[in-house]
């Protein structure tokens, strides 16, 4: 077995490159998701180690020391961080010339040849789902015989092996919680709308929806929702409770946990037996009856991708959602006491100054507990990227998606709506949503009831204003 290091490299301060959400960038409030996509193959490789440098505030020195005794390094990369990650890979090779270096992630999954051509120190990239790909390489299988990789031979030629079959038996994957316990400090991971400390795991992969902007289903996970059994999920949560009794909340980070309603209810009942608080990603169409079952069995919060309040834009991005359905769903959540973190995107195809205002008014009307406003990000491999390139909405100069400090830029523009207008609408959205009397009053009441919440919200406020300062500097 090769001595293997799984690495999330150092990057911009506050840059969440391993985010399981729809984009990688600095966030409005500093937050970090677990590196689950690396932890899963790490759980398959005995004796391996996982280093998640950004949340651990780790620089290169200890990593360079570590790789002197390694045979294989597997790095997670993304479109925004790729150039920086290649520089890190070269530093690793300089420290240990015998080191084999591979990269995984959506960026290299959809652009394997380009990634190899631009990544001189990279020996291979793993395409699509890569868990067992990495396991075979770590076991010493010759690269020529490993499905699902694009690699560089001794002559420097780049070779694409045949695709790897998708994993059908999700229960065959070991628990990532074992790797969290072994290699991570759970207090390093913080998401503003989740209780701290939290733990996130995937209970399945893939998403049935066809949203044109969404990265993971179009690149790695696919559009079939392949799931773990409720018993398997419950067993991992039970183990995590044993390992981390201080955990306040579990987040099921599947693209759309509510894609399979009977299974969602079955897992909820297992969580109810365990007495845990949990949250998940959901589409804004879950019926009241299911919401009630989830709430009665420990559900606290739903992360919901509303994207826009304009029906035509929702059609344009193939969201498969009616605005009125989303409103009814949200009313039901409020009635049941389920918190919502609503996510919105400005700059999607069909966006105008008027539709931005329409979405802001929609957000104010449905009034999620908290919200997140993103700039439309046309990641390579998505339909949105293809559409933007063909229509001239995306300039190559803006194709990196972030600036040199890690702040997300507005890469899309339209004849009737400029980069600048889209970029500035994010701040306007936040200001009009949060700086209204009723919302300020609810936040103040929440802070008064809990000194811990007051401390948290004040810190988030400082981080948010720093984020706005960084955006203005950009």
């Amino acid at each position: 077995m090769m001595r293997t290091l799984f690495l999330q490299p150092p990057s911009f301060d506050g840059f969440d490159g391993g985010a399981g959400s729809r984009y990688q960038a600095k966030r409005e409030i500093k937050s970090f998701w677990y590196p689950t996509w690396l932890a899963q193959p790490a759980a398959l490789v005995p004796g391996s180690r996982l280093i998640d440098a950004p949340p651990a505030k780790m620089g290169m020195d200890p990593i360079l020391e570590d790789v002197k005794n390694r045979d294989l390094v597997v790095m997670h990369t993304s479109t925004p961080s790729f150039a920086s990650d290649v520089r890190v890979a070269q530093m690793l090779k300089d420290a240990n010339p015998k080191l084999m270096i591979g990269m995984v992630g959506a960026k290299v999954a959809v652009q394997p040849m380009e990634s190899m051509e631009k990544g001189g120190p990279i020996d291979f990239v793993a395409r699509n789902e890569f868990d067992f790909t990495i396991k075979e390489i770590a076991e010493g299988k010759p690269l020529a015989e490993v499905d699902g990789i694009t690699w560089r031979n001794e002559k420097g030629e780049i070779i694409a092996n045949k695709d790897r079959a998708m994993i059908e038996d999700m229960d065959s994957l070991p628990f990532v919680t074992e790797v969290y316990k072994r290699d991570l400090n759970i207090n390093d991971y913080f998401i503003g709308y989740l209780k701290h400390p939290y733990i996130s795991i995937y209970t399945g992969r893939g998403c049935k929806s066809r949203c044109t902007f969404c990265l993971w289903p179009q690149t790695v996970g696919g559009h079939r929702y392949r799931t773990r059994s409720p018993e398997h999920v419950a067993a991992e949560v039970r183990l995590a409770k044993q390992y981390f009794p201080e955990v306040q909340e579990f987040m099921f980070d599947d693209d759309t946990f509510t894609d399979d309603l009977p299974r969602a209810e079955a897992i909820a009942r297992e969580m109810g037996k365990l007495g845990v608080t949990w949250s998940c990603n959901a589409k804004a169409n879950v019926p009241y009856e299911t919401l009630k079952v989830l709430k009665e069995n420990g559900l606290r919060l739903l992360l919901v991708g509303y994207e826009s309040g304009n029906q035509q834009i929702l059609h344009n991005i193939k969201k498969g959602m009616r605005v009125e359905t989303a409103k009814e769903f949200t009313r039901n959540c409020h009635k049941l006491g389920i918190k919502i973190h609503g996510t919105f995107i400005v700059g999607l195809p069909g966006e105008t100054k008027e539709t931005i205002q329409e979405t802001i008014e929609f957000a104010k009307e449905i009034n999620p507990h908290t919200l997140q406003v993103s700039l439309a990000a046309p990641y390579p491999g998505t339909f949105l990227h293809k559409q933007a390139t063909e229509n001239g909405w995306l300039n190559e100069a803006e194709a990196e998606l972030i600036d040199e400090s890690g702040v997300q830029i507005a890469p899309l523009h339209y004849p009737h709506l400029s980069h600048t207008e889209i970029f500035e609408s994010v701040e306007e959205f936040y200001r009009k949503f949060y700086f209204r009397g009723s919302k300020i009053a609810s936040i103040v009441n929440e802070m008064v009831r809990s000194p811990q919440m007051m401390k948290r919200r004040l810190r988030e406020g400082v981080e948010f204003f720093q984020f706005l300062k960084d955006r203005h500097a950009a």
Side-chain angles (χ1 to χ4, degrees):
M1 184 68 67
M2 299 176 78
R3 297 170 297 175
T4 305
L5 172 67
F6 292 86
L7 176 64
Q8 194 83 262
S11 188
F12 311 104
D13 180 39
F15 180 83
D16 191 5
S21 56
R22 65 174 58 90
Y23 69 95
Q24 294 95 10
K26 276 189 177 180
R27 296 170 183 275
E28 299 86 339
I29 297 167
K30 188 176 289 188
S31 52
F32 291 105
W33 287 98
Y34 282 80
T36 315
W37 283 100
L38 279 181
Q40 192 66 80
L44 288 163
V45 179
S48 64
R49 181 188 181 191
L50 169 59
I51 292 179
D52 189 10
K57 298 182 175 64
M58 183 183 293
M60 284 302 300
D61 287 347
I63 296 170
L64 293 174
E65 190 62 32
D66 183 284
V67 299
K68 291 178 182 177
N69 298 306
R70 299 287 174 184
D71 306 306
L72 171 65
V73 173
V74 178
M75 298 172 60
H76 185 276
T77 191
S78 64
T79 296
S81 67
F82 181 72
S84 172
D85 296 339
V86 170
R87 290 193 291 271
V88 170
Q90 186 60 61
M91 295 172 70
L92 302 181
K93 270 279 171 71
D94 291 342
N96 181 356
K98 296 180 180 180
L99 196 64
M100 180 185 291
I101 299 178
M103 283 191 174
V104 300
K107 158 70 178 178
V108 296
V110 299
Q111 295 179 320
M113 292 298 292
E114 178 183 324
S115 299
M116 289 298 296
E117 289 167 356
K118 293 184 177 180
I122 305 171
D123 296 292
F124 70 90
V125 299
R127 307 188 307 268
N128 304 100
E129 209 167 37
F130 48 79
D131 310 87
F132 289 100
T133 300
I134 300 304
K135 179 177 184 289
E136 290 179 6
I137 293 172
E139 289 171 342
K141 192 171 186 177
L143 295 185
E145 300 174 13
V146 178
D147 291 349
I149 65 169
T150 300
W151 59 289
R152 200 186 315 273
N153 67 15
E154 294 179 354
K155 297 178 181 179
E157 299 167 331
I158 299 174
I159 301 169
N161 293 0
K162 70 176 183 178
D163 289 341
R164 176 172 292 273
M166 299 290 271
I167 301 170
E168 298 300 334
D169 179 10
M170 297 301 292
D171 284 2
S172 67
L173 292 168
F175 296 159
V176 294
T177 303
E178 297 283 3
V179 178
Y180 293 175
K181 173 67 172 175
R182 186 188 72 193
D183 294 332
L184 304 180
N185 179 352
I186 66 168
N187 288 299
D188 288 343
Y189 298 90
F190 181 87
I191 300 293
Y193 49 84
L194 297 179
K195 291 187 174 184
H196 184 74
Y198 82 99
I199 280 180
S200 69
I201 61 174
Y202 287 90
T203 77
R205 292 178 182 171
C207 179
K208 294 190 291 188
S209 297
R210 299 278 172 171
C211 302
T212 61
F213 60 85
C214 198
L215 180 65
W216 298 104
Q218 298 183 74
T219 57
V220 177
H223 287 292
R224 281 190 303 113
Y225 189 30
R226 296 163 293 126
T227 59
R228 299 163 58 186
S229 66
E231 296 76 19
H232 196 256
V233 174
E236 181 160 21
V237 171
R238 193 177 300 112
L239 179 67
K241 281 188 65 181
Q242 176 186 329
Y243 282 165
F244 309 108
E246 70 272 33
V247 163
Q248 299 296 304
E249 181 164 16
F250 289 86
M251 173 68 184
F252 299 139
D253 199 24
D254 307 29
D255 292 310
T256 310
F257 179 79
T258 55
D259 260 357
D260 183 338
L261 295 178
R263 175 179 171 275
E265 293 182 13
I267 290 178
R269 292 188 174 94
E270 293 294 331
M271 296 304 102
K273 296 173 188 175
L274 294 172
V276 301
T277 298
W278 59 281
S279 298
C280 67
N281 294 307
K283 197 169 182 177
N285 62 355
V286 183
Y288 180 86
E289 294 75 17
T290 295
L291 290 172
K292 188 170 184 292
V293 171
L294 305 188
K295 174 62 178 177
E296 290 172 348
N297 286 280
L299 174 70
R300 187 187 70 86
L301 174 142
L302 295 175
L303 193 158
V304 181
Y306 293 101
E307 323 313 352
S308 175
N310 176 269
Q311 189 63 60
Q312 186 56 53
I313 290 178
L314 295 179
H315 288 325
N316 293 347
I317 62 173
K318 302 181 182 178
K319 184 71 182 177
M321 176 57 57
R322 304 289 306 182
V323 171
E324 289 306 317
T325 300
K327 288 181 180 180
E328 180 183 3
F329 158 86
T330 309
R331 286 194 295 269
N332 288 338
C333 287
H334 289 325
K335 181 178 178 180
L336 289 165
I338 298 170
K339 294 277 198 290
I340 295 176
H341 178 72
T343 64
F344 296 84
I345 302 175
V346 292
L348 292 165
E351 194 80 274
T352 64
K353 293 178 184 178
E354 291 73 27
T355 61
I356 291 172
Q357 296 306 314
E358 185 179 354
T359 297
I360 292 173
E361 291 305 311
F362 170 73
K364 289 162 61 177
E365 177 186 347
I366 64 172
N367 196 29
H369 185 62
T370 53
L371 59 71
Q372 166 186 316
V373 186
S374 305
L375 293 159
Y379 277 94
T382 63
F383 181 83
L384 178 59
H385 184 272
K386 180 176 182 289
Q387 189 180 25
T389 303
E390 291 176 349
N391 286 279
W393 302 335
L394 173 66
N395 293 336
E396 285 303 314
E398 286 85 31
E400 294 303 318
L401 307 180
I402 60 171
D403 67 13
E404 63 277 1
S405 64
V407 173
Q408 193 186 21
I409 63 173
L412 296 180
H413 62 94
Y414 307 98
H416 54 278
L417 197 64
S418 68
H419 297 283
T420 301
E421 289 170 319
I422 295 171
F423 185 83
E424 291 177 348
S425 69
V426 171
E427 185 174 336
E428 179 187 9
F429 202 134
Y430 280 124
R431 185 177 67 250
K432 287 185 174 179
F433 181 81
Y434 280 113
F435 294 173
R436 57 197 164 103
S438 59
K439 196 63 181 178
I440 292 174
S442 68
I443 294 171
V444 170
N445 287 335
E446 181 184 53
M447 291 167 66
V448 169
R449 290 196 302 269
S450 169
Q452 182 180 9
M453 185 59 68
M454 178 179 292
K455 182 178 179 181
R456 178 170 169 176
R457 294 300 182 215
L458 289 173
R459 186 188 70 243
E460 289 174 351
V462 171
E463 292 176 353
F464 178 63
F465 283 112
Q466 182 61 49
F467 170 79
L468 295 181
K469 182 180 177 182
D470 290 344
R471 291 184 90 249
H472 282 295

